Amino acid sequence: MEKKEQLYEGKAKKVYATSDPERLIVDYKDDATAFNGLKKGTISGKGVINNRMSNRLMAMLEKRGIPTHYVQELSERETLVKKVSIVPLEVIIRNISAGSFSKRYGVEEGIVFETPTIEFSYKNDDLGDPLLNSYHAIALKLAAPEEIETIKNYAFRVNDALKAFWSTCGVTLVDFKLEFGRLSDGTIVLADEISPDTCRLWDAKTGEKLDKDRFRRDMGGVEEAYAEIMKRLEEHL
Ligand code: TMP
């Protein structure tokens, strides 16, 4: 597959056209941002880890019947994916209180929910990705009602599969963010990435954070945490 012109550069990835109009190449960077781009930095080796981890997890999800954009890993940082038009929603599932949930509702981190929660935010940097509910998403024509149902269903199934997998690695899946896209025929598939940038992953025994919160909160040991979580994945998948 021939890599053609760059179509887009995001905060953590670049996207290229290919000779096939239905395929794109994503190229993972080491750049890290937080707080809607206000905080900027580099996490050395992150692109390699996120590329590999996201691909392995998406392949696992495909086996469990969840369609994804993943096609083939091309190199350490590059992956061939199906071309989608991204549904402009960030879909967040939480199993345990943390982050913006704790802040918004004034509760400590670490409360284990009896049932996972789902929330959506409008993927719009200028507005700071505001929280919205499914009625708002439909009113704004971000997604059709049937698409929202499909997305919710997939998101909870992804949670079940990821929670079970990370648990075998001695890791607690606290929360994560997913993005979905539409193929040219309208089929909804899981897109973007699943990585320590987009998940909160805590060591099941010690509670140590093994994700991007170490960068967001200036905790240090960022590269080491990414390497550790990748090692756990490689040992168990
Ligand atoms: P939050 O607690 O800050 O809302 O984050 C919830 C989850 O979503 C957490 O695992 C980190 C992930 N996330 C992203 O992937 N991208 C984002 O822009 C934000 C704000 C969170």
Side-chain angles (χ1 to χ4, degrees), residues 90 92 94 98-101 104 119 129 175-177 197-200 216:
E90 302 206 335
I92 295 163
R94 301 178 192 270
S100 70
F101 182 97
R104 188 179 324 123
E119 71 206 41
D129 297 341
D175 58 29
F176 58 94
K177 184 264 298 180
D197 278 21
T198 63
C199 303
R200 285 196 175 91
R216 296 189 187 99

